[in-house]
Amino acid sequence: MGQTLRPTKFKDVDLNDKFFDSLKAQYKEFSDWFIRKAAEPVYVIDGDGGQGVRGFLYIKVETGEITDVQPSLPAKRRLKVGTLKVNAKGTKLGERIIKRIFDHAILEEVSEVYVTVFDTHVSLINLFKRFGFEQRGVKATPNGEELVLLRSFDTLANDIVKDYPLMQTAGKSKWLLAIKPEFHTDLLPDSILKTEDPASEADVPHTNSIHKVYIAGLSLNRMKRGDLVVIYRTTDIQGKAYYRSVATSVCVVEETYSRKHFKDADAFVAFAKDHSVFSEQQLRDRYANGKPLYVAKLTYNAAFVKRPNRAALLDIVGITTQPKWDLRALTDAQFSSILDLGKVEEGLIVN
């Protein structure tokens, strides 16, 4: 079933689970440290069937000068990734954990996030660097030298992925994009509705990933790289759209393509399979049916805390009923109004 980041306490996690063997081997003090943390909060990803541990994330806010790294880091409000390990098995769980780290960074209004990691963890280092972390120094420990990787939230790299989850709004087009309910929760798990079953969240690549591939018959090429997209979940009950259709989240466009971009079905499948809701066979069938085919690759930046329904979008935001809401241009004012109604953290928006 669902492989979620489950909040718990250190004391409720089995230190003897074989998952921790590699951490004990690399950090001699790990077991003593773990036991001292008994009452502190931590995230765990449970193994298959709820057995054992598959992922572990410990983060904490620090405000003082960091003197145990070279060069030292000045006093600042920052989030430290104290411990992170995940057996991802190609499921993009690493991206899911990165997203949770950034969720906390925005919530805690920190200036930076940092982590220390041994250079042997190449894939983990590459994951951090892909999302804007840079090496800022080293940390000498009794277990060897670790790299200090740091991600600033005060400066922008002007790159959609390296700046994720921050969103630049100035000069960008804004859109409302409709998605059917049978695909919505699968693709955007943090935007799950209260009426849906949280245990339905499957451990598959597209569920965990920050990047999402949306496939449609309507032309998505109107959207350009860097454009902002409000996801609109259509009604699950015919005739009840006024109250049941809701805006749920906001994404940023990475790229859009039409069928002619893909030289064959294999190229289309390779592009879409880890980030879309469709199986490989469904993707092949979709490519083969000859109908109009457009894809948009998006970063999944924020799930709304409150989900404005169609009534609010009409009456408060002022969106007209026509043209259709499948892909609808929004004004800057409408976009801002939706984000206000959705109670999106202000720290995510860069003007």
Side-chain angles (χ1 to χ4, degrees):
M1 290 300 288
Q3 296 287 346
T4 56
L5 280 153
R6 178 172 62 83
T8 184
K9 298 276 174 61
F10 273 82
K11 62 182 171 61
D12 297 319
V13 181
D14 182 10
L15 177 58
N16 295 316
D17 192 300
K18 64 181 187 299
F19 172 86
F20 296 109
D21 288 354
S22 65
L23 289 167
K24 291 173 186 172
Q26 198 145 43
Y27 300 94
K28 297 179 182 65
E29 70 283 7
F30 183 80
S31 294
D32 291 340
W33 170 84
F34 194 101
I35 292 162
R36 284 201 311 276
K37 295 284 181 187
E40 293 198 32
V42 68
Y43 284 108
V44 167
I45 298 170
D46 297 312
D48 294 333
Q51 299 301 304
V53 179
R54 185 168 166 194
F56 186 85
L57 171 66
Y58 170 62
I59 49 181
K60 64 174 181 174
V61 174
E62 297 179 338
T63 54
E65 184 183 5
I66 310 297
T67 56
D68 61 351
V69 302
Q70 267 315 105
S72 61
L73 300 172
K76 234 179 213 186
R77 186 171 176 81
R78 51 173 67 89
L79 191 71
K80 181 182 182 181
V81 182
T83 306
L84 165 58
K85 184 188 174 192
V86 61
N87 295 337
K89 298 181 193 167
T91 62
K92 310 286 184 188
L93 274 175
E95 281 189 23
R96 190 68 183 277
I97 287 175
I98 289 278
K99 186 174 191 309
R100 185 56 54 90
I101 291 167
F102 287 163
D103 286 346
H104 274 274
I106 297 297
L107 200 63
E108 295 285 359
E109 299 181 343
V110 300
S111 297
E112 298 172 346
V113 180
Y114 84 104
V115 59
T116 62
V117 58
F118 286 110
D119 62 9
T120 50
H121 298 297
V122 177
S123 60
L124 188 59
I125 291 168
N126 288 341
L127 178 68
F128 277 120
K129 286 187 172 179
R130 182 149 59 91
F131 290 99
F133 284 78
E134 296 177 349
Q135 188 182 340
R136 288 290 179 86
V138 293
K139 178 180 180 179
T141 79
N143 306 298
E145 189 174 84
E146 293 183 283
L147 307 179
V148 178
L149 303 178
L150 187 141
R151 162 69 193 271
S152 171
F153 280 82
D154 291 340
T155 55
L156 289 175
N158 290 313
D159 177 283
I160 292 167
V161 179
K162 282 186 163 56
D163 289 335
Y164 177 89
L166 305 182
M167 296 174 281
Q168 293 196 58
T169 60
K172 308 293 183 186
S173 296
K174 285 86 177 174
W175 305 89
L176 188 75
L177 179 64
I179 185 168
K180 292 177 181 174
E182 59 264 35
F183 303 134
H184 178 270
T185 299
D186 205 10
L187 194 63
L188 307 167
D190 290 345
S191 302
I192 192 167
L193 299 184
K194 289 183 172 63
T195 54
E196 296 175 285
D197 175 14
S200 68
E201 184 189 314
D203 177 32
V204 286
H206 65 261
T207 301
N208 295 309
S209 72
I210 284 167
H211 306 277
K212 308 292 179 180
V213 168
Y214 179 94
I215 299 167
L218 77 156
S219 176
L220 301 174
N221 288 357
R222 294 161 62 198
M223 301 190 296
K224 304 300 181 210
R225 182 172 174 82
D227 284 1
L228 296 135
V229 183
V230 172
I231 300 295
Y232 175 69
R233 178 194 181 275
T234 57
T235 184
D236 53 352
I237 301 174
Q238 202 60 38
K240 304 278 187 179
Y242 196 68
Y243 298 110
R244 302 277 306 181
S245 295
V246 287
T248 68
S249 40
V250 60
C251 300
V252 178
V253 178
E254 291 185 79
E255 48 201 346
T256 58
Y257 298 118
S258 61
R259 177 192 298 276
K260 65 184 180 211
H261 172 80
F262 304 101
K263 71 176 194 299
D264 54 27
D266 289 344
F268 175 61
V269 169
F271 178 83
K273 67 182 172 61
D274 284 350
H275 303 291
S276 94
V277 296
F278 300 109
S279 69
E280 179 172 340
Q281 190 54 54
Q282 286 173 317
L283 290 170
R284 291 189 181 281
D285 292 346
R286 182 68 180 82
Y287 186 85
N289 69 16
K291 293 179 180 174
L293 175 64
Y294 295 89
V295 298
K297 188 177 181 187
L298 315 163
T299 55
Y300 177 33
N301 291 61
F304 292 167
V305 177
K306 300 277 188 185
R307 300 180 179 97
N309 59 16
R310 185 178 176 90
L313 297 174
L314 287 163
D315 303 339
I316 300 172
V317 179
I319 303 176
T320 54
T321 54
Q322 295 297 328
K324 279 178 67 178
W325 290 24
D326 47 6
L327 177 61
R328 175 71 181 267
L330 298 171
T331 66
D332 288 355
Q334 288 168 343
F335 178 78
S336 294
S337 178
I338 294 170
L339 265 54
D340 285 345
L341 290 172
K343 300 203 178 306
V344 171
E345 291 283 344
E346 289 180 9
L348 283 169
I349 308 301
V350 182
N351 293 313

